Amino acid sequence: QVHVVESGGGLVQTGGSLRLSCAASGSIFSINAMGWYRQAPGKQRELVAAITSGGSTNYADSVKGRFTISRDNAKETVYLQMNSLKPEDTAVYYCAALGISTRWGQGTQVTVSS
């Protein structure tokens, strides 16, 4: 079973940056892609960025040019670099391991103040 744990959230001002980390463990050979999702209060969870086992990336239009997803295979860790943060980026950010099933992390809070 795959286990994922997120970290790196916090409180930043508009225009600031954060780097989120997602550490994966377990049967990671079964993972086809890793994704970052977010859920703002009262809203649906949405895909922010994803990276496939082949290294291809995909981003939501709202974060293109500001966020970058990357991975460190040696550390079995996926990152989300978030720059030029806006208040609308405020949400709980979740890491997901995508394969035959989806394994979710516990979430990490990102709050962007005006």
Side-chain angles (χ1 to χ4, degrees):
Q1 182 175 329
V2 175
H3 183 218
V4 295
V5 178
E6 308 99 328
S7 62
L11 173 64
V12 298
Q13 295 181 334
T14 297
S17 298
L18 283 173
R19 184 180 176 91
L20 306 183
S21 298
C22 174
S25 62
S27 301
I28 58 175
F29 61 87
S30 65
I31 300 173
N32 295 323
M34 298 291 293
W36 283 100
Y37 293 74
R38 67 186 181 188
Q39 187 167 20
K43 296 186 179 296
Q44 300 295 112
R45 188 172 299 185
E46 63 176 348
L47 177 67
V48 177
I51 185 166
T52 70
S53 59
S56 298
T57 58
N58 188 44
Y59 298 92
D61 287 341
S62 60
V63 306
K64 286 181 179 177
R66 300 189 297 121
F67 291 10
T68 302
I69 188 170
S70 62
R71 66 186 181 191
D72 184 336
N73 289 332
K75 296 182 178 180
E76 300 178 347
T77 301
V78 175
Y79 304 96
L80 184 67
Q81 178 67 46
M82 305 185 295
N83 298 325
S84 301
L85 283 162
K86 307 173 181 179
E88 50 262 48
D89 295 318
T90 295
V92 177
Y93 283 70
Y94 297 90
C95 183
L98 309 176
I100 60 174
S101 62
T102 301
R103 304 294 184 184
W104 296 95
Q106 82 286 353
T108 186
Q109 177 70 47
V110 171
T111 302
V112 184
S113 65
S114 300

